[in-house]
Amino acid sequence: MLRRFSLLSAKLKTSLLSPPPSHPFCAPLSQAIFKPHQSQIVSANFSTVSLLRLNDLRDNHGSTHKKIRKGRGIGSGKGKTAGRGHKGQKARGTMKFGFEGGQTPLRRRLPRRGFKNAFSLTFQPCGLGKIAKLINAGKIDSGELITMKTLKETGAIGKQIKDGVRLMGRGAEEIKWPIHLEVSRVTTRAKEAVEAAGGSVRKVYYNKLGFKALLKPEWFEKKGRLLPKAARPPPKQKDKVDSIGRLPAPTKPIPFATQEESEPEAAPLVA
């Protein structure tokens, strides 16, 4: 089709540009009459016209294939057994993933490495330097108790808190005033820096539900549920915490009992 179109355009061009034969006495007149204009030459150049049309767009040959229709007669080549052959496990059905014909599969041949601790806890770290910057910026009131909810609302820690917050000693030299905190864990350096400034750090325990009630009490109100009671720590965590977490979020710290107050007075011996 393209070759026919090019031959047609060439013939048309030559017919427009060449004047018809005339008598020798009339040659000047015929040249004057049949001399083509420049616009006619440009419009007659049909070889520059694009042959691309939207209705002619097609995929490349071999890029698409017809769907194989199985079990539609022997004339298709995929009838009867549909390309599965005769009998056998592969002809009748499929095996479960990882099945190797009865031999020990690969997942059992390879040794196991390590284990997953079901009782592991993940605490989000928070440095004292970041808390000091927020106090200087006026986002945290140093006169009130700083809880994990306060740290989350002010942006001291991220929103994805799993099991609690660990107070770190980064920027401990910036703490120059007494502050009181309640967190899940605390490092030795951070605790010494806070107590040296006249403050206190208490390690409190919250279970999964209690920790959610501390951070998002509005969720329970939206569901029409009461806040859960504070849970006691399990035996393995009793030595790692100072007290049970309070709900809702407290605003005043609990003073630590001194050793003399915690030990009861011995009863006098009767002679």
Side-chain angles (χ1 to χ4, degrees):
M1 179 179 176
L2 181 61
R3 186 176 179 182
R4 291 179 181 176
F5 190 78
S6 60
L7 292 174
L8 180 62
S9 61
K11 289 181 180 180
L12 186 59
K13 186 192 300 184
T14 55
S15 63
L16 289 176
L17 296 178
S18 60
S22 58
H23 198 269
F25 295 103
C26 301
L29 180 62
S30 62
Q31 291 179 3
I33 296 175
F34 296 100
K35 187 178 180 180
H37 193 266
Q38 187 67 23
S39 61
Q40 295 178 355
I41 298 174
V42 175
S43 62
N45 193 7
F46 291 100
S47 59
T48 60
V49 178
S50 175
L51 299 177
L52 181 63
R53 298 291 185 271
L54 292 177
N55 58 339
D56 292 336
L57 293 177
R58 300 289 186 272
D59 291 325
N60 294 330
H61 181 70
S63 62
T64 57
H65 302 275
K66 282 188 175 182
K67 182 182 178 182
I68 299 177
R69 301 175 72 242
K70 297 180 180 180
R72 294 299 184 270
I74 59 176
S76 63
K78 294 293 181 182
K80 192 185 171 185
T81 55
R84 285 176 172 247
H86 290 277
K87 302 182 182 178
Q89 191 175 21
K90 294 183 178 179
R92 293 190 172 98
T94 57
M95 293 80 71
K96 67 177 182 179
F97 179 76
F99 183 69
E100 298 182 14
Q103 70 177 12
T104 305
L106 182 65
R107 59 182 176 82
R108 293 180 58 188
R109 292 199 301 268
L110 297 177
R112 285 195 259 182
R113 302 291 183 188
F115 73 102
K116 184 177 180 180
N117 188 3
F119 302 99
S120 63
L121 300 175
T122 305
F123 300 107
Q124 188 164 351
C126 180
L128 287 174
K130 187 176 289 185
I131 297 176
K133 289 181 180 179
L134 293 173
I135 292 175
N136 293 330
K139 295 183 179 181
I140 295 179
D141 187 4
S142 60
E144 295 184 357
L145 177 65
I146 302 174
T147 61
M148 290 180 280
K149 182 182 179 183
T150 308
L151 297 176
K152 180 191 174 185
E153 291 176 348
T154 54
I157 54 178
K159 296 182 180 179
Q160 301 297 331
I161 311 172
K162 191 172 181 182
D163 296 313
V165 178
R166 185 189 299 274
L167 188 64
M168 310 295 289
R170 294 192 297 265
E173 61 278 357
E174 300 181 19
I175 299 296
K176 300 177 181 179
W177 51 86
I179 57 175
H180 303 278
L181 301 101
E182 281 191 0
V183 291
S184 302
R185 298 289 187 272
V186 59
T187 61
T188 305
R189 180 189 173 191
K191 187 174 183 179
E192 291 176 354
V194 172
E195 291 178 351
S200 63
V201 182
R202 181 178 289 272
K203 296 177 288 184
V204 293
Y205 172 78
Y206 289 98
N207 61 352
K208 293 284 186 181
L209 188 63
F211 195 59
K212 185 175 183 179
L214 174 71
L215 299 179
K216 297 180 179 180
E218 63 277 0
W219 184 87
F220 292 85
E221 183 179 355
K222 182 180 178 180
K223 297 290 184 179
R225 298 170 58 180
L226 298 175
L227 289 178
K229 293 184 178 180
R232 296 180 180 180
K236 291 185 178 181
Q237 295 191 36
K238 280 186 177 180
D239 299 336
K240 299 180 180 180
V241 296
D242 298 323
S243 62
I244 302 173
R246 294 176 287 171
L247 292 173
T251 56
K252 294 183 179 181
I254 301 176
F256 284 91
T258 60
Q259 188 175 1
E260 296 178 356
E261 295 177 357
S262 59
E263 295 180 358
E265 295 182 0
L269 299 175
V270 179

